[in-house]
Amino acid sequence: MSSTLIRKPFVVQGLAMIVAALMMNNAHASSEQEQIQQLRAEVNELRALLEQYLPPIKQQSDAPKVVETSTTVIANNDNAQKVTTEATQKSPLGFSTASGAQVQLYGFLRGDASYQVKGGDGIFNRINKVDLEGQEKNSDRFYSTATVTRFGLDFKAPVEGAKVGAKLEVDFRGGSSNDTIRIRHAYLTYNDWLFGQTTSTFLATDVQPEMLDFNSPLGIGTFRTPMVRYSGKLDSDISYAIALEKSNDDNRVPAFTSKLKYDFAEGKGTSSARVLLTEARSKAAFDKDHKQISANDSDLGWGVAVGAKYKFTDALQAMIDYSHVKGDSKFLLYSNNAFNVNPNNLDIHLNEFDAFTAGASYQITPKLRSTLAYGAMFADDSNDFAKQAVTDATQNKTLQQGWWNVMYSPVTPITFGLEYIYGERKTFDGQKGKDSRVGAMARYSF
């Protein structure tokens, strides 16, 4: 018998089995469809009964709410990206006051150490007072401190449609021993108004290069002073601020400051232009023989400044700031006296100078960044102030300072830093002094 004849019964039987299976499956599927349709009809009948005999069900106010979390990627100040998730509960560092204000605690614990090859008397920046050549007494010193530890409270309370807020921030750099509490910021805000103490409107700390040294770079300012300030926006990218601020204690009127700020598109950076008007006043003073040795006179002090910070790539950003000031010693760091007095005719001579800082920061890895920067102050050496300051070794014709640092954050709240600083000062009579220091820092932010 041929193989073809043998295979035919098996083929026929196989086809018969397949057809039977398909018929059974179709019957089963038809049965399932009927059951589903019947179940749907019963559900609709039950829903109609509920709507007829029961009131609409409303969500109870005390019912637990489901809070959806959202994850976003944002860029921090160090150009490193991090992932933040909105918490379903409030931060344990936030709380509410009896009046309903929301309060957020922030700050850091920080320790600093410094080895000073040459420089001034103290752990932090004193470029304007470093020892002159041949008069070194602060060489080869080791310093350490934890007094820059900082605590702050931010208050926010929407009241009757108004935006009400406040800030209180302190560290431990107060007093002659630098170990008592010092108020840094203490102010309240009401809509666009600010009342209290904070950083001067004439300054732009947001465009200064990063420096590990707590006393901040040469060429910029960090002066915090009582003020009344009004802020507003011209459009989404341009804002402005106008303020009356306390300056020198002898002044009869507050200083006037203003700032116009422009933010670059796509978060690339910021820029600002600032103006300062202040009084330079000398009160009359007398020696033991009742001879007048100081003028009872005043003059107008003023200043202008421009600065910018721009992010060229996600890793590289640069910053620059320039100021020209006459007749003031408060607002910018490490400047000379605002004026001196001619002992012969008691005229006051205003100091005039330029301040400059520039730097660049590079995010090497998400956890490692570095900054290289330079700052300088150049006083006018041709005016009457300079001619009289030739005999005063505390006044400087030029100040220059460069620094390089590396900051490492192994985890988000912890930062370790290492920095080298080199600087020089030169008096009006040509004497020079040098600053050479290595500093280290460990900080835990919360």
Side-chain angles (χ1 to χ4, degrees), residues 100-173:
Q102 299 298 316
V103 185
Q104 191 71 32
L105 172 66
Y106 69 92
F108 53 74
L109 306 177
R110 172 170 161 167
D112 288 85
S114 174
Y115 176 73
Q116 186 170 278
V117 180
K118 294 181 178 181
D121 184 15
I123 180 173
F124 296 125
N125 201 355
R126 286 174 173 80
I127 182 61
N128 60 321
K129 297 181 179 179
V130 298
D131 296 337
L132 296 172
E133 293 178 347
Q135 305 175 27
E136 290 89 347
K137 58 181 179 180
N138 294 301
S139 301
D140 297 320
R141 286 192 175 188
F142 176 79
Y143 298 93
S144 63
T145 185
T147 58
V148 301
T149 294
R150 182 182 306 173
F151 295 93
L153 295 171
D154 279 329
F155 301 82
K156 186 177 182 181
V159 179
E160 299 178 359
K163 295 184 294 183
V164 179
K167 178 187 285 289
L168 175 63
E169 183 179 291
V170 301
D171 63 13
F172 299 89
R173 298 290 293 172

